[in-house]
Amino acid sequence: MKDNLLLFKFFLTSVYTKPKHPIMQVLLILAFIYIALQYCVFTFMIYFMATPEVFLFYSFILSNSITYILISYFAISVVFSQSDFSIFAHLPISAKRIVMAKIVSGVALPISVIGILSIPTFFMLLIEFNIGFATKSIVFLLMINILITLFLLCVLSILNHFRTIFMNIVMYLMVRMTLILGIGICPIVYFWINNVETIKLVLAKIDTSTIASLSASISDILDIGYGFAMQQPWLEGILPLTAAQSVLYFSIVFLLCFVLFNITITIIASKYYEHGPVVNRIEKTAKVWRGNTSWSNYLQREYWIIQSESYFKLQAILGVIMAPIGTVIYLMVIQMNMLKADWIVDNKSSLCVYMILFMSCMNNISGTPYSREGKYYALSKTLPLEPHKIYLAKVVISSSISALSVIISYIIYMLFEKNDVIMMLYLLITLLLVFSYNVLSPLYDKRHPLLDWTNPSEAIKSNPTVLISLLYGLPLLIIIALLHFSLLTFHVSPWISAVIILIIVTISTITLFYKNRKGYVTN
C-alpha cells in the first residue's frame, strides 16, 4: 500500500506542478477564480429560473460537461503519456500498478475541482429539499462524473491499444482528438436533431424587452431539454427519490466504475512495455537531414522540434481545429437567427472573417518557437546555422498550421453560408495577416526563450512569452479590423473596402517581412 501511495505522489507532483513565473501563478489563480465564478453564476441563474427538478438536472449536465472537458485534457497529458517509461521501465514495478497510479492521478484534479464547484449546488438542494437528499444527490453526481471519466478513458485505451496501426503519431493524435470531440458532441447533436423545430419556435419568441420576459424565455428553453431527457427510458429514474432507488443506482454506478477501471488498466498495461520504447525512441533517434536545398533542412528542423513531444503535436492540432469549430458555432448562430442587430446581420461575413483570423492566430505555436527547442537551442548557436533562416523557418511552420486552419474554416463557411469572389479576397487578406502576425509574435521569444524545462508543457503553459507575444502581433490585427469595419460603417462598398484592406495588408506584410529579415541578417 505504501508503494502505491508513493507512485500516486510521484505522478501527482510531476503533473500538477506550480508555474515558475510569478505572473503565470497569478494568472493561473485568476483563471481558477474566473471559472469558479462563471460556474456559480450559471448555477444561480438556473436555480432562480427553473423548478428544483430542472435545476438538479442541469446541475448534473453542467457538472458532467466540465468533467468531460477537464478529463479530455488530463487523459492526454497524464494517463496516455509515455514520458514516465524511461523512469519505470527498469524498476521492479508492474505495468498495472504504474497505469493505476496514472489513472488515479489524472482523475484526481478534475473530480476535486467538480467537488469544490458543487458546494453551492449542495446548499441550494439543501434549501429546496433536505440534507439527506442533498447529500445523496451530490455524491451521486460525483459518482456519475467518475463514471463518465472512466468511460472516456476506457474508449481511449482501446484506441491506444491499436496505435501502432497508424502511419504516424500525428494521425493517431488526430483520430484521438476526433473521437473525444465526437463523443462529447453526440448528445448535443442527438438533442438538436430531435428538437430543432421546437427550439427554433422558442428562439423566435424570445422577448428581451424586460429581465422578467427574458428569464421566462430562457426557462422555456431549459424546459425543452429537461422534458426531452425525461422522455428517454434510461433517464426516467435519474432522481433517487427513495432509499431503494438510491441503493440500486449507487450499486449500479459503483459496479460500472469498478469494471471500467479494471478494463482500462488491463488494456493500457498490456501495451505499456511495447508502446513505451516506440514513443520515446523519437527523441533518441539521430536526425538525418534530407532534401536538396538548405531551406528544406531548416523546415525539417522545425518539424522535428514539434514532432519531438506529443504535447507540441497536440498544440499544433488544436491550432488547426479551433477556428473550424468556431466557424461551425458561428454558422449555427446565424442559421438560428440569433444575431438581431441589423449592422451585425449585414456584416456577418466580415465578422466571420475576423473571427477566423483571431482564432487561427491565438495559439501557442506561433508565440513560443524558440522556447520549444529547449536543450537544442544551444546547438543552433554552435552549429553553422543562419539565424535568419531559423527564424523564417519558424514563421513558415507556424503560418502553415494557421493557414490550414483558415482554409478549412473558409471551406466550411462557403459551403453553408456564402460562396462568391469576395470571399476569395477575404481569404487572401486573412492568410497575409496570419503571416504578418507570425512574423511578429516570435520576436520576444527569440530574445527571452524559456529553455530550462523538463516537461514540454512548461515551455508553453509556464511561459509568459505566450502572453507577451500577443502584444507584438495583436495590435496589427486590431488596427486592420477597426479600419475595415470603419469603412463598412461609413457605407463604403464591401468590394472597395476589401480591396483597400488587401492593399494595406499586402504593403504591411512585405514591409514587416523584409524589415525583420534584414534585421536578422544584420545581427
Side-chain angles (χ1 to χ4, degrees):
M1 182 63 183
K2 183 178 179 181
D3 294 337
N4 289 334
L5 291 177
L6 291 175
L7 276 176
F8 297 150
K9 182 179 179 181
F10 170 81
F11 285 109
L12 286 171
T13 54
S14 62
V15 173
Y16 309 120
T17 53
K18 184 173 65 173
K20 297 178 181 179
H21 298 276
I23 185 173
M24 297 303 296
Q25 295 176 14
V26 173
L27 289 173
L28 183 62
I29 294 173
L30 291 176
F32 277 120
I33 294 175
Y34 175 77
I35 293 174
L37 287 176
Q38 289 282 65
Y39 189 93
C40 291
V41 167
F42 278 114
T43 301
F44 279 103
M45 285 177 58
I46 297 172
Y47 174 74
F48 287 110
M49 290 189 298
T51 62
E53 290 77 14
V54 175
F55 166 71
L56 179 58
F57 169 75
Y58 280 101
S59 295
F60 271 76
I61 296 298
L62 188 58
S63 175
N64 296 159
S65 302
I66 298 296
T67 301
Y68 191 86
I69 293 171
L70 290 175
I71 201 61
S72 296
Y73 170 76
F74 287 105
I76 294 173
S77 62
V78 182
V79 179
F80 295 100
S81 171
Q82 297 281 171
S83 58
D84 56 276
F85 180 80
S86 58
I87 300 175
F88 291 104
H90 63 285
L91 298 178
I93 304 176
S94 67
K96 285 190 174 182
R97 285 177 56 196
I98 297 173
V99 173
M100 180 179 67
K102 293 172 70 173
I103 292 176
V104 173
S105 303
V107 172
L109 181 62
I111 299 302
S112 300
V113 169
I114 292 301
I116 295 172
L117 294 178
S118 299
I119 293 175
T121 304
F122 171 78
F123 286 106
M124 293 176 193
L125 293 176
L126 189 61
I127 294 172
E128 294 294 337
F129 299 99
N130 55 63
I131 188 170
F133 183 85
T135 303
K136 288 188 293 184
S137 298
I138 294 300
V139 174
F140 187 68
L141 182 149
L142 295 177
M143 290 186 66
I144 290 295
N145 287 330
I146 295 174
L147 178 63
I148 292 173
T149 296
L150 293 175
F151 170 75
L152 179 61
L153 292 179
C154 184
V155 173
L156 294 180
S157 67
I158 296 173
L159 178 65
N160 181 73
H161 187 81
F162 299 101
R163 68 183 299 168
T164 53
I165 68 174
F166 295 94
M167 293 183 294
N168 53 58
I169 188 65
V170 175
M171 181 64 68
Y172 166 71
L173 292 175
M174 291 184 66
V175 172
R176 184 167 66 181
M177 182 60 66
T178 303
L179 184 62
I180 292 173
L181 291 174
I183 295 174
I185 294 174
C186 274
I188 301 174
V189 174
Y190 178 71
F191 169 73
W192 176 263
I193 292 175
N194 287 274
N195 297 273
V196 58
E197 296 300 329
T198 306
I199 294 173
K200 287 184 177 179
L201 183 63
V202 172
L203 291 175
K205 295 181 178 179
I206 287 181
D207 184 4
T208 59
S209 57
T210 64
I211 296 178
S213 61
L214 178 61
S215 176
S217 300
I218 296 176
S219 179
D220 292 338
I221 297 175
L222 296 177
D223 289 338
I224 295 174
Y226 176 75
F228 177 73
M230 292 302 103
Q231 294 174 3
Q232 309 306 311
W234 49 282
L235 280 178
E236 289 179 344
I238 192 173
L239 301 179
L241 300 176
T242 66
Q245 287 177 322
S246 300
V247 173
L248 177 62
Y249 298 154
F250 276 93
S251 300
I252 293 174
V253 173
F254 179 81
L255 180 61
L256 289 174
C257 290
F258 179 78
V259 171
L260 289 173
F261 182 67
N262 283 278
I263 290 175
T264 305
I265 292 175
T266 302
I267 294 175
I268 299 177
S270 65
K271 293 288 185 176
Y272 182 77
Y273 290 104
E274 179 180 337
H275 291 162
V278 175
V279 174
N280 285 272
R281 193 182 303 148
I282 295 174
E283 293 185 9
K284 298 176 182 178
T285 303
K287 304 298 184 182
V288 180
W289 282 17
R290 299 183 178 90
N292 298 324
T293 66
S294 61
W295 270 114
S296 64
N297 294 337
Y298 283 95
L299 292 174
Q300 285 179 20
R301 180 177 180 275
E302 295 306 314
Y303 172 75
W304 289 332
I305 291 173
I306 294 179
Q307 191 186 41
S308 65
E309 298 287 351
S310 297
Y311 186 80
F312 297 158
K313 299 173 191 173
L314 174 63
Q315 295 299 317
I317 293 172
L318 289 175
V320 171
I321 67 174
M322 289 307 297
I325 292 174
T327 304
V328 172
I329 296 173
Y330 184 81
L331 283 171
M332 293 175 62
V333 172
I334 293 175
Q335 297 295 334
M336 293 167 59
N337 297 319
M338 296 179 66
L339 301 175
K340 302 295 184 181
D342 293 337
W343 185 88
I344 295 178
V345 174
D346 295 338
N347 298 283
K348 57 185 179 183
S349 296
S350 301
L351 288 171
C352 184
V353 166
Y354 288 98
M355 182 273 296
I356 294 172
L357 172 64
F358 280 92
M359 291 196 70
S360 60
C361 287
M362 303 305 156
N363 60 68
N364 295 327
I365 293 297
S366 60
T368 57
Y370 289 93
S371 295
R372 290 196 305 271
E373 293 196 21
K375 59 186 178 182
Y376 300 114
Y377 182 79
L379 294 176
S380 66
K381 298 294 184 181
T382 57
L383 295 176
L385 301 176
E386 299 181 47
H388 74 282
K389 288 188 176 180
I390 294 178
Y391 164 74
L392 292 178
K394 295 180 184 299
V395 171
V396 170
I397 292 296
S398 57
S399 298
S400 299
I401 294 171
S402 298
L404 179 60
S405 177
V406 168
I407 293 171
I408 294 173
S409 301
Y410 269 81
I411 291 174
I412 294 172
Y413 184 81
M414 294 171 68
L415 284 175
F416 294 98
E417 185 61 27
K418 186 175 182 179
N419 184 2
D420 55 20
V421 179
I422 196 172
M423 292 304 296
M424 294 294 101
L425 290 179
Y426 286 151
L427 175 59
L428 182 57
I429 291 171
T430 306
L431 292 176
L432 288 173
L433 285 174
V434 163
F435 184 77
S436 298
Y437 179 86
N438 287 313
V439 167
L440 294 171
S441 58
L443 296 180
Y444 182 84
D445 190 50
K446 198 275 179 184
R447 300 187 184 99
H448 308 281
L450 177 62
L451 306 173
D452 185 18
W453 51 264
T454 54
N455 190 319
S457 63
E458 295 176 16
I460 295 176
K461 289 196 303 183
S462 302
N463 194 348
T465 299
V466 176
L467 298 175
I468 299 174
S469 64
L470 296 179
L471 302 178
Y472 279 71
L474 189 59
L476 173 65
L477 306 186
I478 295 175
I479 291 171
I480 296 296
L482 291 176
L483 178 59
H484 194 172
F485 285 112
S486 297
L487 293 172
L488 296 174
T489 302
F490 287 104
H491 304 291
V492 178
S493 168
W495 277 96
I496 297 176
S497 300
V499 172
I500 293 174
I501 295 300
L502 179 59
I503 294 172
I504 295 173
V505 169
T506 303
I507 294 173
S508 63
T509 301
I510 295 173
T511 303
L512 288 172
F513 175 75
Y514 279 103
K515 183 177 179 181
N516 284 280
R517 183 178 182 277
K518 182 179 179 181
Y520 271 87
V521 172
T522 303
N523 292 336

